[in-house]
Amino acid sequence: MSLERTKPLLLPLAALLVFELWIRLAHLQSDSLAPPSAVLAALVAALADLSIPIATRDTLLAAFAGLAIGSVIGLALGIAFGISRVLDRLMEVTIEAIRPIPSIALLPIALIALGFGYRMEIVIVAFACVWPMLILSRTAVRGIEPRLMEVSRALRLTPVQRIIKIIIPAALPRIFVAFRLSAGIALIVAVTVEIAINPLGLGAGIMLAQQALRPDLMLAYLVWIGAIGYGLNLVLIVVQHRLFGRAATAGAGS
Amino acid sequence: MSAAAMIWRIASFAVAAGFVGLWQLIANLKLVSPVFLPGPDRAWAALMRGFASGDLTSKLVGTLEHMAYGWLAASIAGIALGALIGSSRLMRIYIAPSLEFLRPLPVSAIIPVAIAMLGLTEGMALFVIAFGAIWPIMLATIHGFAAVEPRLYEVARALQMSRTAVVFKIALPSALPDILAGMRLSLTVALILSVVCEVLAGLDGLGHWVLLSARAFRSADLFAGVILLGATGYVTSVAMSLAERRLLAWQSTR
């Protein structure tokens, strides 16, 4: 068993080792590559001098704020469209016209309207997070067992009560899947905005390292951003298992 | 399309037109400064002017080229690598986990590394777009290969088919729905990364156009560019669905 578990690790470790040896033996001086040991040293140094922790805080702050705003808007619209077929059909063309706009295309608009900083990044992240939330929660609400809706009618629940007591609990597992998806998107969009233009957070950090011709620091940022993405995904999967058990992940696909 | 669906469609367009009217009203009343928000009339005029002078046309072609080259390269490489890894149990054990680990990495973080290696060039953009777009395709191919009905493999063994024959006659056709889904996902990634690369490297394309317009506070041109980007996203995704329906027509039983 332990052997089986180590197998997937062999390839990356071997690759790192070969890489390290190649750079050391060839005495490579490069603006774009650095041996893994130097990358590790740069990562430790940047963690110790708090530049990476501060950048991480900035990025995650913007990503989560955008995620929260986008999720709430997407969820509200998704539930409304899921309940009311009429509303859904009336809004169809409008939604289909706005949805394909790549979130990053809003960057210049947000830039002239809000300037550099958190607000502009949060708006773009929120825009990107609305869509998966809207579409998946709409499907989730439509997929609710019709008898539950009959019960709510028999109990004469008010629309607000119906949403809070029946619809949200029944659709929650699938809504959480949408939330997990959105969280991944939020991080990606936040980092992308920072790399493209916003002088803030991890994306700006990695660009700065590149411009300062510090390949070790740049690759250290890359590794760290990857670790954050992986960690965020892992945490959300664990939370999902805890809250909803295996049933929820079965429908989530990969 | 039935009469009822037609009426809903028209009503839906009417609602969208209502929103455009509202936008015009807000712009006319100058509720938002025209520096940030041009009316739809001005945005449309800018769009027509851009096409008439050929400026916008060449930018659109530039973005479409970046997108298409990167996406095609990613599709070919992704399907080939995915087929290679997916058809071998050994590779699945040793390589697939490393790929899953890399999946949540925000791909835009590779941009600084690509800039350091290749400079602010078309080659850099091609590399970044292809690198970003390859993941969904490759992982979908691996997944599709793993999910092939085992009895089909048994038939192949009974017929003593060679490994290439198994890949081309059995695995690829039955993995096709997964592969096409991955390619559709990649299309969006390719568009976003094209825009980001154009913004960063000043390459000829809509990303560069919207950024320059924003810097010069020419909001009508900026909105014209964003509208075109939205249209690009919409048209490519519709084209992809048509191709998908066409290619999967033989699978009507599913």
Side-chain angles (χ1 to χ4, degrees):
Chain A
M1 188 60 211
S2 60
L3 189 70
E4 285 298 312
R5 273 174 183 245
T6 52
K7 271 181 182 173
L9 290 175
L10 286 179
L11 181 82
L13 287 179
L16 283 179
L17 197 66
V18 168
F19 196 47
E20 174 87 38
L21 283 175
W22 173 57
I23 290 187
R24 292 270 173 222
L25 291 178
H27 295 288
L28 195 72
Q29 287 293 322
S30 165
D31 293 340
S32 53
L33 292 174
S37 54
V39 172
L40 191 66
L43 182 60
V44 171
L47 281 171
D49 73 9
L50 292 183
S51 59
I52 280 190
I54 288 172
T56 311
R57 186 202 62 196
D58 289 347
T59 298
L60 290 182
L61 206 66
F64 286 143
L67 176 65
I69 296 170
S71 303
V72 169
I73 296 173
L75 187 62
L77 290 176
I79 290 177
F81 292 173
I83 294 174
S84 159
R85 263 322 252 154
V86 175
L87 193 64
D88 185 36
R89 283 176 163 167
L90 285 179
M91 291 298 289
E92 193 185 343
V93 170
T94 312
I95 296 292
E96 288 308 312
I98 302 176
R99 190 161 73 103
I101 298 178
S103 48
I104 229 66
L106 293 183
L107 201 147
I109 298 181
L111 184 65
I112 57 173
L114 302 168
F116 293 107
Y118 287 111
R119 284 194 305 166
M120 167 261 248
E121 195 172 324
I122 290 171
V123 166
I124 297 172
V125 172
F127 177 84
C129 290
V130 164
W131 309 111
M133 210 62 189
L134 190 165
I135 296 201
L136 290 173
S137 59
R138 182 177 64 185
T139 327
V141 170
R142 283 216 194 116
I144 290 175
E145 168 72 45
R147 260 174 284 178
L148 279 178
M149 302 306 267
E150 281 168 29
V151 168
S152 77
R153 231 166 289 142
L155 292 174
R156 296 179 191 234
L157 296 180
T158 63
V160 176
Q161 280 175 322
R162 198 191 305 171
I163 290 173
I164 294 174
K165 293 194 173 156
I166 308 266
I167 292 175
I168 291 188
L172 202 56
R174 295 180 70 183
I175 290 175
F176 193 85
V177 171
F179 181 76
R180 209 186 81 202
L181 212 71
S182 298
I185 293 174
L187 183 66
I188 292 173
V189 172
V191 171
T192 308
V193 169
E194 287 162 3
I195 284 179
I197 212 152
N198 207 13
L200 192 76
L202 291 169
I206 191 171
M207 281 311 275
L208 209 64
Q210 185 261 318
Q211 279 153 14
L213 302 182
R214 286 275 315 273
D216 52 340
L217 187 59
M218 172 179 79
L219 293 172
Y221 266 104
L222 182 67
V223 170
W224 181 254
I225 292 173
I228 296 276
Y230 186 78
L232 183 65
N233 193 29
L234 204 65
V235 167
L236 287 170
I237 287 178
V238 168
V239 170
Q240 191 180 351
H241 267 273
R242 277 280 162 80
L243 289 181
F244 306 113
R246 299 191 70 82
T249 31
S254 47
Chain B
M1 205 186 281
S2 70
M6 203 69 178
I7 292 170
W8 279 117
R9 199 82 194 153
I10 293 169
S12 184
F13 269 104
V15 170
F19 276 108
V20 175
L22 187 69
W23 172 15
Q24 182 76 62
L25 194 69
I26 291 173
N28 285 351
L29 294 176
K30 298 207 162 59
L31 294 177
V32 181
S33 161
V35 177
F36 306 136
L37 187 79
D41 52 342
R42 280 178 56 214
W44 185 256
L47 195 64
M48 289 300 122
R49 200 169 54 237
F51 274 125
S53 67
D55 279 356
L56 215 45
T57 327
S58 72
K59 304 285 178 195
L60 177 63
V61 170
T63 298
L64 287 176
E65 265 177 14
H66 292 144
M67 213 179 139
Y69 290 150
W71 183 68
L72 282 178
S75 300
I76 295 167
I79 294 173
L81 285 175
L84 200 66
I85 297 167
S87 63
S88 142
R89 214 178 65 85
L90 208 63
M91 291 234 216
R92 273 219 294 272
I93 293 175
Y94 282 98
I95 300 182
S98 310
L99 297 180
E100 286 295 330
F101 181 80
L102 284 173
R103 176 159 57 172
L105 174 78
V107 280
S108 48
I110 205 73
I111 293 177
V113 181
I115 292 179
M117 283 200 254
L118 301 165
L120 296 169
T121 58
E122 294 280 347
M124 180 280 291
L126 186 64
F127 172 78
V128 168
I129 297 163
F131 181 86
I134 201 173
W135 295 104
I137 302 175
M138 186 164 67
L139 291 168
T141 311
I142 296 175
H143 175 77
F145 269 60
V148 172
E149 167 73 46
R151 259 174 290 176
L152 288 177
Y153 282 138
E154 283 169 26
V155 171
R157 221 172 303 136
L159 293 173
Q160 300 194 311
M161 288 165 88
S162 67
R163 193 171 154 198
T164 0
V166 172
V167 167
F168 281 100
K169 290 192 175 151
I170 292 182
L172 271 182
S174 45
L176 195 61
D178 287 297
I179 297 175
L180 288 174
M183 285 170 77
R184 168 204 282 283
L185 215 68
S186 290
L187 211 51
T188 321
V189 177
L191 176 58
I192 290 177
L193 288 175
S194 303
V195 173
V196 176
C197 286
E198 286 159 10
V199 164
L200 274 174
L203 302 173
D204 220 20
L206 288 172
H208 190 49
W209 168 274
V210 289
L211 187 73
L212 283 187
S213 307
R215 289 251 164 90
F217 286 97
R218 291 191 318 242
S219 59
D221 285 343
L222 166 57
F223 272 69
V226 173
I227 290 170
L228 261 189
L229 280 171
T232 307
Y234 183 70
V235 170
T236 48
S237 121
V238 167
M240 189 67 210
S241 334
L242 287 179
E244 226 168 309
R245 208 173 303 159
R246 197 69 197 264
L247 286 168
L248 297 180
W250 56 276
Q251 266 194 334
S252 53
T253 44
R254 273 167 77 122

